[in-house]
Amino acid sequence: MKLVIKDGIVIDGEGFNERADILIENGKIKGIDKRISLNDAISIDAKGKHVFPGFIDMHTHLRQPGFEEKETIKTGTHAAVAGGYTTVACMPNTNPVIDNEIVVEYIKSIAEKEGYCKVIPIGAMTKGMLGEEISEMAKLKDVGIVALSDDGFPIMNSGLMKRIMTYGNMYDLLMITHCEDKMLSGEGVMNNGIISTKIGLRGIPHEAEEVMLARNIILAKSTGAKLHVAHVSTRDSVELIRRAKADGVDITAEATPNNLCLTEDMVDGFDTNTKAYPPLRTKEDVDALIEGLKDGTIDVIATDHAPHTKDDKKVPYEIAAFGISGIEIAFSVVYTYLVKNGLIAIDDLVKHMSIVPSKLLKLTHGFKIGNDADMTIVDLGKEYTVDVDNFKSKGKNSPFNGQKLYGMVEYTIVNGEIKFKNDGNYQLSNV
Amino acid sequence: MIRKDVLGIREMTKEDLLEILDTAGEMKKILVGNKDSDILRGKTVVTIFFEPSTRTRLSFEMAAKYLGAHFGNIEAKTSSVVKGESLIDTVRTIEKMKADVIVVRHNMSGAPHLMAKYLDASVINAGDGLNEHPTQALLDLMTIREKKGLFDGLKVVIVGDIVHSRVARSNIWGLQKLGAEVRLVGPATLLPKTFEKLGAKVYYDIDKAVDGVDVVMGLRIQLERQKSGLFPSKDEFSKYFGITEERMRLAKKDAILMHPGPINRNVELTSKAANATYSVIEEQVTNGVAVRMALLKILCERRKSNEISY
């Protein structure tokens, strides 16, 4: 089957930004040229629209196996393609945990059968994510694992963390770390600051992130491990990463649309959809994250898509689940808040959401002849109102609900197949 | 006060506060008189407390009964909610028994706000987590007004475990709205500097904080805070942050001493100070019934005349 994407503005995130046609054949990119005319090809008219290499999310919670009431591989990847993503890396905090080959193979097989996009499981650093014994990293590597994380269960034991880095580094595994000193965050449920003081919610101080980040930087330096910092949220974390990079530490970092665009002020009123880890921080933190994105300190925009049921959130703030469902609006959020406001260029957004994560996950990706035809077509001019009831994700927990955003995903193509097509009413449907 | 619920002092205006205090003054006449009124006849008030309380719960019960309302009480344990019984389901059940006003205390900040969102009945917050305790602040304001008349220029110091105190937060909002100056004093682990951003003055030396004030307000210190390492010992706390007769002499001559109760005698304040003539602690309790009568009256009248904005 041949497919031609006609006359879109093609931005590859690596310097190419021109009107062009893209020819897809047998699931691969066959040509990118000013004008491609073929009689035997199906064509998509992308005039006035933008064509990007598919987004790649380094930080998704698909919840299956174990928490299928929150999300499944099917619904989560459906949400992903609705957001323009063609690959998601799913976090290991499932039940059972992704700490052995069987769970890895299970997820891959379900993704193969039911998934809408490519799924790359992330392995656990410790067995059961219990922070006690290191996982069987070599076996995980053999079934295709490229990155490890204990995500929401940071390794408090520094000796253990050093052993994880030392051992994992033999297999060139990326160490994705959720930086949080649990003793400092204590019973906190939101950012520690003026709003927490006003409304009487216990605060998570910014130091909780920075203390753990500083430790991990020191350990990465001494072990030579490849450290990737998940969801950076504070000003001083950005500075720590900036200095570590200057110091030659092998470190990369991601920030979420939530932390790049929203502040703690939204928590005033106790909307549990604003509850996430890391918590929404202050304007100064947001500004520092954007600055970090601009100067290369922050490498990746990752969603930390964390779907929960309505009941998980329909409780007092203190006991509501941490997490925001966001993969299907992530691009629009960042485009609206950052690109439309002139803070970063659209080319850079594509780089942070597609090209850089593909490299960290060792994927062959992007608009090169012969690569898998993974791409998304977006109408940047189209405005829509976020309605969580239209989410493909089971998680309706979004603080962006009701907001007007720009940049609507029109098509998502995975291996040359149209996996998502917007029918014009944000009633996203499978093709 | 046009809202359906009383969730906090923070969202009230100065006019709201004065309306409530004026009404409470009228209610006090009933309270110290024959305690027989039919203002709330045909109305139903239900209290549901997810945290132990004797005085606040009883105070609401008395307030409802003195005004002729039907009254019910539910014993609730937080644990059953945590175990999966939905808070919203629980209170909607009460509402379906035709409650007009539901009075709630909850150990989690914002729980009454969540309930209010899902109920047509009016919700009165009788204390939520660390957030607010609006009826306590109102009775404190009423007591201060009775003793001092005007709030403008008045200096009030709140002493002790500020960060964990919903009483402190509600008083900070209320006193400032009415024009008083609020000082806060306590150990730094229980009083972060951030409170300055709420407009209060933060002190770590009680003698300086009490100097020249009109009102000294003690707070109950929860002794388990010591176990979590927030202060070293009961003894050190009372020595450096306790309210004593000597320290009361640093305040204005006619200063009053308040405390929301129950008191840990000789911890946050000495027995002598608590029993002294400047102590208005018992009058606060009586005024507590009056302000609760006032809120019930105002809310039920608004419900009747459909002046409520949901």
Side-chain angles (χ1 to χ4, degrees), chain B residues 9-10 12-14 17-18 21 132 134 136-145 148-159 162 167-184 198-200 214-219 256 258:
Chain B
I9 303 292
R10 187 173 160 218
M12 290 184 188
T13 63
K14 182 178 180 174
L17 291 169
L18 292 174
L21 296 182
E132 284 231 36
Q136 177 68 43
L138 288 166
L139 75 89
D140 292 337
L141 295 172
M142 180 178 183
T143 309
I144 294 170
R145 198 192 197 197
K148 301 290 169 193
L150 292 169
F151 288 92
D152 279 314
L154 222 53
K155 292 189 174 74
V156 181
V157 64
I158 309 177
V159 186
I162 308 292
V167 176
R169 282 185 181 76
S170 285
N171 269 303
I172 290 168
W173 303 125
L175 286 163
Q176 293 189 138
K177 281 173 202 278
L178 293 173
E181 173 191 313
V182 180
R183 300 178 178 186
L184 304 171
L198 274 53
D214 302 275
V215 179
V216 178
M217 192 182 288
L219 296 173
I256 56 171
M258 307 176 74

Short mmCIF file of all heavy atoms in Angstrom, two decimals, chain B residues 9-10 12-14 17-18 21 132 134 136-145 148-159 162 167-184 198-200 214-219 256 258:
data_model
loop_
_atom_site.label_atom_id
_atom_site.label_comp_id
_atom_site.label_asym_id
_atom_site.label_seq_id
_atom_site.Cartn_x
_atom_site.Cartn_y
_atom_site.Cartn_z
N ILE B 9 -13.63 31.43 56.69
CA ILE B 9 -13.65 32.88 56.88
C ILE B 9 -12.98 33.55 55.68
O ILE B 9 -13.29 34.67 55.32
CB ILE B 9 -12.88 33.25 58.17
CG1 ILE B 9 -13.48 32.54 59.39
CG2 ILE B 9 -12.87 34.76 58.38
CD1 ILE B 9 -14.85 32.99 59.79
N ARG B 10 -12.03 32.83 55.06
CA ARG B 10 -11.26 33.42 53.98
C ARG B 10 -12.14 33.97 52.87
O ARG B 10 -11.84 35.02 52.29
CB ARG B 10 -10.27 32.39 53.43
CG ARG B 10 -9.31 32.96 52.42
CD ARG B 10 -8.26 31.95 52.02
NE ARG B 10 -7.67 32.33 50.76
CZ ARG B 10 -7.32 31.47 49.81
NH1 ARG B 10 -7.50 30.17 50.00
NH2 ARG B 10 -6.80 31.90 48.70
N MET B 12 -15.15 35.12 53.17
CA MET B 12 -16.15 36.08 53.61
C MET B 12 -15.64 37.51 53.48
O MET B 12 -14.44 37.76 53.54
CB MET B 12 -16.49 35.82 55.09
CG MET B 12 -17.26 34.54 55.33
SD MET B 12 -17.70 34.42 57.08
CE MET B 12 -18.36 32.75 57.11
N THR B 13 -16.59 38.45 53.34
CA THR B 13 -16.22 39.86 53.33
C THR B 13 -16.36 40.41 54.75
O THR B 13 -16.95 39.77 55.62
CB THR B 13 -17.15 40.66 52.42
OG1 THR B 13 -18.49 40.57 52.96
CG2 THR B 13 -17.15 40.11 50.99
N LYS B 14 -15.86 41.60 54.94
CA LYS B 14 -16.01 42.29 56.23
C LYS B 14 -17.50 42.42 56.57
O LYS B 14 -17.92 42.20 57.71
CB LYS B 14 -15.37 43.67 56.11
CG LYS B 14 -15.42 44.48 57.38
CD LYS B 14 -14.70 45.82 57.20
CE LYS B 14 -14.76 46.60 58.51
NZ LYS B 14 -13.96 47.83 58.46
N LEU B 17 -18.94 39.23 57.86
CA LEU B 17 -18.53 38.98 59.24
C LEU B 17 -19.37 39.82 60.21
O LEU B 17 -19.86 39.32 61.22
CB LEU B 17 -17.05 39.30 59.42
CG LEU B 17 -16.07 38.35 58.72
CD1 LEU B 17 -14.66 38.91 58.73
CD2 LEU B 17 -16.10 36.97 59.38
N LEU B 18 -19.54 41.09 59.87
CA LEU B 18 -20.29 41.97 60.77
C LEU B 18 -21.75 41.55 60.85
O LEU B 18 -22.37 41.60 61.92
CB LEU B 18 -20.15 43.43 60.32
CG LEU B 18 -18.72 43.98 60.49
CD1 LEU B 18 -18.61 45.38 59.89
CD2 LEU B 18 -18.29 43.99 61.96
N LEU B 21 -21.82 38.64 63.20
CA LEU B 21 -21.59 39.05 64.59
C LEU B 21 -22.80 39.82 65.15
O LEU B 21 -23.18 39.63 66.31
CB LEU B 21 -20.33 39.91 64.69
CG LEU B 21 -19.01 39.20 64.33
CD1 LEU B 21 -17.82 40.14 64.50
CD2 LEU B 21 -18.81 37.94 65.16
N GLU B 132 -9.50 25.39 58.06
CA GLU B 132 -10.29 26.44 58.73
C GLU B 132 -11.16 25.86 59.82
O GLU B 132 -11.54 24.69 59.81
CB GLU B 132 -11.17 27.17 57.70
CG GLU B 132 -10.40 28.14 56.81
CD GLU B 132 -11.04 29.54 56.78
OE1 GLU B 132 -11.58 30.00 57.83
OE2 GLU B 132 -11.00 30.16 55.70
N PRO B 134 -14.14 27.96 60.96
CA PRO B 134 -14.77 29.28 60.92
C PRO B 134 -15.62 29.63 62.14
O PRO B 134 -15.60 30.78 62.58
CB PRO B 134 -15.62 29.23 59.64
CG PRO B 134 -15.68 27.81 59.23
CD PRO B 134 -14.48 27.14 59.78
N GLN B 136 -15.19 28.74 65.20
CA GLN B 136 -14.31 29.11 66.32
C GLN B 136 -13.82 30.55 66.14
O GLN B 136 -13.83 31.33 67.09
CB GLN B 136 -13.11 28.15 66.38
CG GLN B 136 -12.10 28.49 67.46
CD GLN B 136 -12.63 28.28 68.87
OE1 GLN B 136 -13.29 27.30 69.15
NE2 GLN B 136 -12.37 29.25 69.77
N ALA B 137 -13.42 30.89 64.93
CA ALA B 137 -12.94 32.26 64.70
C ALA B 137 -14.07 33.26 64.95
O ALA B 137 -13.85 34.32 65.53
CB ALA B 137 -12.40 32.40 63.29
N LEU B 138 -15.28 32.90 64.52
CA LEU B 138 -16.40 33.83 64.72
C LEU B 138 -16.68 34.05 66.20
O LEU B 138 -16.96 35.18 66.64
CB LEU B 138 -17.66 33.30 64.01
CG LEU B 138 -17.60 33.38 62.48
CD1 LEU B 138 -18.71 32.54 61.85
CD2 LEU B 138 -17.71 34.85 62.02
N LEU B 139 -16.59 32.98 66.99
CA LEU B 139 -16.84 33.18 68.42
C LEU B 139 -15.69 33.95 69.06
O LEU B 139 -15.91 34.74 70.00
CB LEU B 139 -17.09 31.83 69.13
CG LEU B 139 -15.92 30.88 69.41
CD1 LEU B 139 -15.28 31.17 70.77
CD2 LEU B 139 -16.42 29.44 69.41
N ASP B 140 -14.49 33.78 68.53
CA ASP B 140 -13.37 34.57 69.03
C ASP B 140 -13.58 36.05 68.68
O ASP B 140 -13.38 36.93 69.52
CB ASP B 140 -12.05 34.08 68.40
CG ASP B 140 -11.66 32.69 68.90
OD1 ASP B 140 -12.11 32.30 70.00
OD2 ASP B 140 -10.90 31.99 68.19
N LEU B 141 -14.00 36.30 67.45
CA LEU B 141 -14.24 37.68 67.02
C LEU B 141 -15.35 38.31 67.85
O LEU B 141 -15.27 39.47 68.25
CB LEU B 141 -14.60 37.73 65.53
CG LEU B 141 -13.50 37.27 64.56
CD1 LEU B 141 -14.04 37.18 63.13
CD2 LEU B 141 -12.31 38.23 64.60
N MET B 142 -16.38 37.53 68.11
CA MET B 142 -17.50 38.05 68.91
C MET B 142 -17.02 38.42 70.31
O MET B 142 -17.37 39.49 70.85
CB MET B 142 -18.60 36.99 69.00
CG MET B 142 -19.80 37.45 69.80
SD MET B 142 -21.08 36.16 69.82
CE MET B 142 -22.37 37.04 70.73
N THR B 143 -16.18 37.58 70.88
CA THR B 143 -15.68 37.83 72.24
C THR B 143 -14.79 39.07 72.26
O THR B 143 -14.91 39.92 73.15
CB THR B 143 -14.90 36.59 72.74
OG1 THR B 143 -15.73 35.44 72.55
CG2 THR B 143 -14.54 36.72 74.20
N ILE B 144 -13.92 39.18 71.26
CA ILE B 144 -13.05 40.35 71.19
C ILE B 144 -13.88 41.62 71.02
O ILE B 144 -13.65 42.64 71.68
CB ILE B 144 -12.04 40.21 70.02
CG1 ILE B 144 -11.07 39.06 70.29
CG2 ILE B 144 -11.27 41.51 69.80
CD1 ILE B 144 -10.19 38.67 69.10
N ARG B 145 -14.90 41.54 70.18
CA ARG B 145 -15.74 42.71 69.93
C ARG B 145 -16.47 43.13 71.20
O ARG B 145 -16.58 44.32 71.51
CB ARG B 145 -16.74 42.38 68.83
CG ARG B 145 -17.38 43.59 68.18
CD ARG B 145 -18.54 43.11 67.33
NE ARG B 145 -18.96 44.11 66.36
CZ ARG B 145 -20.12 44.06 65.74
NH1 ARG B 145 -20.96 43.05 66.00
NH2 ARG B 145 -20.46 44.98 64.88
N LYS B 148 -13.63 44.66 73.40
CA LYS B 148 -12.81 45.76 72.89
C LYS B 148 -13.58 46.75 72.00
O LYS B 148 -13.03 47.79 71.65
CB LYS B 148 -11.61 45.20 72.08
CG LYS B 148 -10.70 44.28 72.88
CD LYS B 148 -9.91 45.06 73.91
CE LYS B 148 -9.20 44.16 74.88
NZ LYS B 148 -8.68 44.89 76.04
N GLY B 149 -14.77 46.38 71.61
CA GLY B 149 -15.55 47.29 70.77
C GLY B 149 -15.12 47.26 69.31
O GLY B 149 -15.69 46.56 68.51
N LEU B 150 -14.08 48.00 68.99
CA LEU B 150 -13.65 48.09 67.60
C LEU B 150 -12.43 47.21 67.32
O LEU B 150 -11.65 46.93 68.21
CB LEU B 150 -13.29 49.54 67.26
CG LEU B 150 -14.47 50.51 67.25
CD1 LEU B 150 -13.96 51.95 67.18
CD2 LEU B 150 -15.40 50.23 66.07
N PHE B 151 -12.29 46.81 66.08
CA PHE B 151 -11.14 45.99 65.70
C PHE B 151 -9.99 46.83 65.16
O PHE B 151 -8.84 46.41 65.17
CB PHE B 151 -11.54 44.97 64.63
CG PHE B 151 -12.40 43.86 65.18
CD1 PHE B 151 -13.79 43.95 65.16
CD2 PHE B 151 -11.81 42.73 65.73
CE1 PHE B 151 -14.57 42.93 65.67
CE2 PHE B 151 -12.59 41.70 66.24
CZ PHE B 151 -13.98 41.80 66.21
N ASP B 152 -10.33 48.02 64.65
CA ASP B 152 -9.30 48.84 64.01
C ASP B 152 -8.15 49.14 64.96
O ASP B 152 -8.36 49.67 66.05
CB ASP B 152 -9.91 50.15 63.49
CG ASP B 152 -10.61 49.92 62.16
OD1 ASP B 152 -9.99 49.26 61.29
OD2 ASP B 152 -11.77 50.36 62.01
N GLY B 153 -6.95 48.80 64.53
CA GLY B 153 -5.76 49.11 65.32
C GLY B 153 -5.49 48.14 66.46
O GLY B 153 -4.47 48.25 67.14
N LEU B 154 -6.39 47.20 66.65
CA LEU B 154 -6.21 46.22 67.73
C LEU B 154 -5.03 45.30 67.39
O LEU B 154 -4.87 44.88 66.25
CB LEU B 154 -7.49 45.39 67.83
CG LEU B 154 -8.06 45.05 69.20
CD1 LEU B 154 -8.24 46.28 70.06
CD2 LEU B 154 -9.39 44.33 69.03
N LYS B 155 -4.24 44.97 68.41
CA LYS B 155 -3.12 44.04 68.19
C LYS B 155 -3.45 42.70 68.85
O LYS B 155 -3.75 42.65 70.04
CB LYS B 155 -1.83 44.60 68.80
CG LYS B 155 -1.28 45.82 68.09
CD LYS B 155 0.11 46.15 68.65
CE LYS B 155 0.79 47.28 67.91
NZ LYS B 155 0.22 48.61 68.22
N VAL B 156 -3.41 41.65 68.05
CA VAL B 156 -3.74 40.32 68.55
C VAL B 156 -2.55 39.39 68.30
O VAL B 156 -2.02 39.35 67.19
CB VAL B 156 -4.98 39.75 67.82
CG1 VAL B 156 -5.34 38.36 68.37
CG2 VAL B 156 -6.16 40.71 67.94
N VAL B 157 -2.12 38.67 69.33
CA VAL B 157 -1.04 37.70 69.10
C VAL B 157 -1.60 36.28 69.28
O VAL B 157 -2.34 36.00 70.22
CB VAL B 157 0.17 37.95 70.02
CG1 VAL B 157 -0.17 37.78 71.50
CG2 VAL B 157 1.33 37.02 69.65
N ILE B 158 -1.28 35.42 68.32
CA ILE B 158 -1.67 34.01 68.41
C ILE B 158 -0.40 33.21 68.69
O ILE B 158 0.61 33.39 67.99
CB ILE B 158 -2.36 33.53 67.11
CG1 ILE B 158 -3.49 34.50 66.71
CG2 ILE B 158 -2.90 32.11 67.28
CD1 ILE B 158 -4.18 34.15 65.39
N VAL B 159 -0.47 32.35 69.69
CA VAL B 159 0.73 31.71 70.22
C VAL B 159 0.68 30.20 70.06
O VAL B 159 -0.33 29.58 70.41
CB VAL B 159 0.88 32.03 71.74
CG1 VAL B 159 2.22 31.49 72.27
CG2 VAL B 159 0.75 33.51 72.02
N ILE B 162 1.17 27.07 65.11
CA ILE B 162 0.38 27.79 64.11
C ILE B 162 0.18 26.94 62.86
O ILE B 162 -0.91 26.86 62.30
CB ILE B 162 1.08 29.11 63.71
CG1 ILE B 162 1.45 29.94 64.93
CG2 ILE B 162 0.23 29.90 62.72
CD1 ILE B 162 0.31 30.51 65.70
N VAL B 167 -7.64 26.90 63.64
CA VAL B 167 -8.15 28.04 64.41
C VAL B 167 -7.31 29.28 64.07
O VAL B 167 -7.84 30.36 63.84
CB VAL B 167 -8.08 27.75 65.92
CG1 VAL B 167 -8.50 28.97 66.73
CG2 VAL B 167 -8.95 26.54 66.27
N ALA B 168 -6.00 29.09 64.02
CA ALA B 168 -5.12 30.21 63.69
C ALA B 168 -5.44 30.75 62.30
O ALA B 168 -5.58 31.96 62.10
CB ALA B 168 -3.66 29.79 63.77
N ARG B 169 -5.57 29.85 61.32
CA ARG B 169 -5.83 30.32 59.95
C ARG B 169 -7.12 31.11 59.88
O ARG B 169 -7.16 32.20 59.32
CB ARG B 169 -5.86 29.15 58.97
CG ARG B 169 -4.46 28.65 58.60
CD ARG B 169 -4.49 27.57 57.53
NE ARG B 169 -3.13 27.12 57.23
CZ ARG B 169 -2.42 26.31 58.02
NH1 ARG B 169 -2.93 25.86 59.16
NH2 ARG B 169 -1.19 25.97 57.68
N SER B 170 -8.20 30.57 60.45
CA SER B 170 -9.47 31.29 60.38
C SER B 170 -9.37 32.65 61.08
O SER B 170 -9.92 33.64 60.61
CB SER B 170 -10.59 30.46 61.01
OG SER B 170 -10.94 29.40 60.13
N ASN B 171 -8.67 32.70 62.21
CA ASN B 171 -8.53 33.97 62.91
C ASN B 171 -7.67 34.96 62.15
O ASN B 171 -7.93 36.16 62.17
CB ASN B 171 -7.98 33.74 64.33
CG ASN B 171 -9.11 33.56 65.34
OD1 ASN B 171 -9.97 34.44 65.49
ND2 ASN B 171 -9.14 32.42 66.01
N ILE B 172 -6.62 34.46 61.49
CA ILE B 172 -5.78 35.36 60.69
C ILE B 172 -6.64 36.06 59.63
O ILE B 172 -6.61 37.28 59.48
CB ILE B 172 -4.62 34.58 60.02
CG1 ILE B 172 -3.62 34.12 61.06
CG2 ILE B 172 -3.94 35.44 58.95
CD1 ILE B 172 -2.59 33.10 60.55
N TRP B 173 -7.46 35.26 58.92
CA TRP B 173 -8.31 35.87 57.88
C TRP B 173 -9.29 36.85 58.51
O TRP B 173 -9.41 37.99 58.07
CB TRP B 173 -9.10 34.80 57.12
CG TRP B 173 -8.28 33.73 56.45
CD1 TRP B 173 -8.40 32.38 56.60
CD2 TRP B 173 -7.21 33.90 55.51
NE1 TRP B 173 -7.48 31.71 55.84
CE2 TRP B 173 -6.74 32.60 55.15
CE3 TRP B 173 -6.60 35.02 54.93
CZ2 TRP B 173 -5.70 32.40 54.24
CZ3 TRP B 173 -5.56 34.81 54.03
CH2 TRP B 173 -5.12 33.52 53.69
N GLY B 174 -10.00 36.41 59.55
CA GLY B 174 -11.08 37.22 60.13
C GLY B 174 -10.57 38.51 60.77
O GLY B 174 -11.10 39.60 60.51
N LEU B 175 -9.53 38.40 61.57
CA LEU B 175 -9.01 39.58 62.27
C LEU B 175 -8.51 40.61 61.27
O LEU B 175 -8.76 41.81 61.42
CB LEU B 175 -7.87 39.16 63.21
CG LEU B 175 -8.34 38.43 64.48
CD1 LEU B 175 -7.18 37.69 65.14
CD2 LEU B 175 -8.98 39.41 65.46
N GLN B 176 -7.80 40.15 60.23
CA GLN B 176 -7.27 41.11 59.26
C GLN B 176 -8.38 41.77 58.46
O GLN B 176 -8.31 42.97 58.17
CB GLN B 176 -6.27 40.41 58.34
CG GLN B 176 -5.03 39.97 59.10
CD GLN B 176 -3.90 39.47 58.21
OE1 GLN B 176 -2.75 39.79 58.43
NE2 GLN B 176 -4.23 38.69 57.21
N LYS B 177 -9.42 41.01 58.11
CA LYS B 177 -10.52 41.61 57.37
C LYS B 177 -11.19 42.71 58.18
O LYS B 177 -11.69 43.70 57.64
CB LYS B 177 -11.57 40.55 57.01
CG LYS B 177 -11.18 39.69 55.81
CD LYS B 177 -12.18 38.56 55.62
CE LYS B 177 -11.59 37.41 54.83
NZ LYS B 177 -11.61 37.58 53.39
N LEU B 178 -11.21 42.54 59.51
CA LEU B 178 -11.88 43.52 60.36
C LEU B 178 -10.95 44.65 60.80
O LEU B 178 -11.35 45.55 61.53
CB LEU B 178 -12.49 42.82 61.58
CG LEU B 178 -13.65 41.88 61.25
CD1 LEU B 178 -14.09 41.09 62.47
CD2 LEU B 178 -14.84 42.65 60.67
N GLY B 179 -9.68 44.58 60.38
CA GLY B 179 -8.78 45.71 60.63
C GLY B 179 -7.80 45.53 61.77
O GLY B 179 -7.08 46.47 62.12
N ALA B 180 -7.73 44.35 62.37
CA ALA B 180 -6.77 44.14 63.46
C ALA B 180 -5.41 43.74 62.90
O ALA B 180 -5.30 43.25 61.78
CB ALA B 180 -7.29 43.06 64.40
N GLU B 181 -4.38 43.97 63.74
CA GLU B 181 -3.03 43.52 63.38
C GLU B 181 -2.82 42.15 64.00
O GLU B 181 -3.11 41.94 65.17
CB GLU B 181 -2.01 44.51 63.95
CG GLU B 181 -0.57 44.06 63.77
CD GLU B 181 0.42 44.92 64.58
OE1 GLU B 181 0.33 46.17 64.52
OE2 GLU B 181 1.28 44.32 65.26
N VAL B 182 -2.32 41.20 63.20
CA VAL B 182 -2.13 39.84 63.71
C VAL B 182 -0.65 39.54 63.85
O VAL B 182 0.12 39.71 62.90
CB VAL B 182 -2.78 38.79 62.79
CG1 VAL B 182 -2.57 37.37 63.34
CG2 VAL B 182 -4.27 39.06 62.62
N ARG B 183 -0.28 39.12 65.05
CA ARG B 183 1.09 38.64 65.29
C ARG B 183 1.02 37.14 65.56
O ARG B 183 0.06 36.67 66.16
CB ARG B 183 1.69 39.32 66.52
CG ARG B 183 1.79 40.82 66.42
CD ARG B 183 2.34 41.36 67.71
NE ARG B 183 2.50 42.80 67.67
CZ ARG B 183 3.08 43.50 68.63
NH1 ARG B 183 3.55 42.88 69.71
NH2 ARG B 183 3.19 44.81 68.53
N LEU B 184 2.06 36.44 65.12
CA LEU B 184 2.10 35.00 65.35
C LEU B 184 3.42 34.68 66.03
O LEU B 184 4.46 35.26 65.68
CB LEU B 184 2.04 34.25 64.02
CG LEU B 184 0.84 34.56 63.11
CD1 LEU B 184 1.04 33.91 61.74
CD2 LEU B 184 -0.46 34.06 63.74
N LEU B 198 0.76 35.88 54.42
CA LEU B 198 -0.67 35.98 54.69
C LEU B 198 -0.97 37.30 55.40
O LEU B 198 -2.11 37.56 55.80
CB LEU B 198 -1.14 34.81 55.57
CG LEU B 198 -1.52 33.50 54.86
CD1 LEU B 198 -0.46 32.98 53.93
CD2 LEU B 198 -1.89 32.44 55.88
N GLY B 199 0.03 38.13 55.57
CA GLY B 199 -0.19 39.45 56.14
C GLY B 199 0.11 39.55 57.63
O GLY B 199 0.00 40.63 58.22
N ALA B 200 0.49 38.45 58.26
CA ALA B 200 0.75 38.47 59.70
C ALA B 200 2.22 38.77 59.98
O ALA B 200 3.07 38.64 59.10
CB ALA B 200 0.38 37.12 60.30
N ASP B 214 -3.37 43.74 72.62
CA ASP B 214 -4.67 43.83 73.27
C ASP B 214 -5.25 42.44 73.58
O ASP B 214 -6.04 42.29 74.49
CB ASP B 214 -5.66 44.56 72.36
CG ASP B 214 -5.18 45.96 72.00
OD1 ASP B 214 -5.42 46.88 72.79
OD2 ASP B 214 -4.53 46.10 70.95
N VAL B 215 -4.86 41.48 72.75
CA VAL B 215 -5.41 40.14 72.90
C VAL B 215 -4.29 39.11 72.78
O VAL B 215 -3.49 39.17 71.85
CB VAL B 215 -6.48 39.84 71.81
CG1 VAL B 215 -7.03 38.42 71.96
CG2 VAL B 215 -7.60 40.86 71.84
N VAL B 216 -4.26 38.16 73.72
CA VAL B 216 -3.34 37.03 73.63
C VAL B 216 -4.18 35.78 73.43
O VAL B 216 -5.08 35.50 74.22
CB VAL B 216 -2.48 36.89 74.91
CG1 VAL B 216 -1.55 35.66 74.80
CG2 VAL B 216 -1.68 38.15 75.17
N MET B 217 -3.91 35.09 72.32
CA MET B 217 -4.70 33.90 72.02
C MET B 217 -3.79 32.68 72.03
O MET B 217 -2.86 32.58 71.23
CB MET B 217 -5.34 34.08 70.63
CG MET B 217 -6.41 33.07 70.30
SD MET B 217 -7.05 33.34 68.62
CE MET B 217 -8.01 34.84 68.83
N GLY B 218 -4.03 31.79 72.96
CA GLY B 218 -3.26 30.54 73.01
C GLY B 218 -3.91 29.50 72.11
O GLY B 218 -5.07 29.63 71.74
N LEU B 219 -3.13 28.50 71.72
CA LEU B 219 -3.67 27.38 70.93
C LEU B 219 -3.32 26.09 71.64
O LEU B 219 -2.30 26.01 72.31
CB LEU B 219 -3.05 27.35 69.53
CG LEU B 219 -3.32 28.52 68.61
CD1 LEU B 219 -2.47 28.36 67.34
CD2 LEU B 219 -4.80 28.61 68.23
N ILE B 256 -6.75 40.86 77.09
CA ILE B 256 -7.50 39.65 77.46
C ILE B 256 -6.76 38.41 76.97
O ILE B 256 -5.96 38.48 76.03
CB ILE B 256 -8.95 39.67 76.89
CG1 ILE B 256 -8.94 39.84 75.36
CG2 ILE B 256 -9.79 40.74 77.57
CD1 ILE B 256 -10.31 39.64 74.72
N MET B 258 -7.27 34.49 75.58
CA MET B 258 -8.24 33.58 74.99
C MET B 258 -7.59 32.23 74.69
O MET B 258 -6.37 32.13 74.52
CB MET B 258 -8.77 34.16 73.67
CG MET B 258 -9.31 35.57 73.82
SD MET B 258 -9.82 36.27 72.23
CE MET B 258 -11.32 35.38 71.95
#
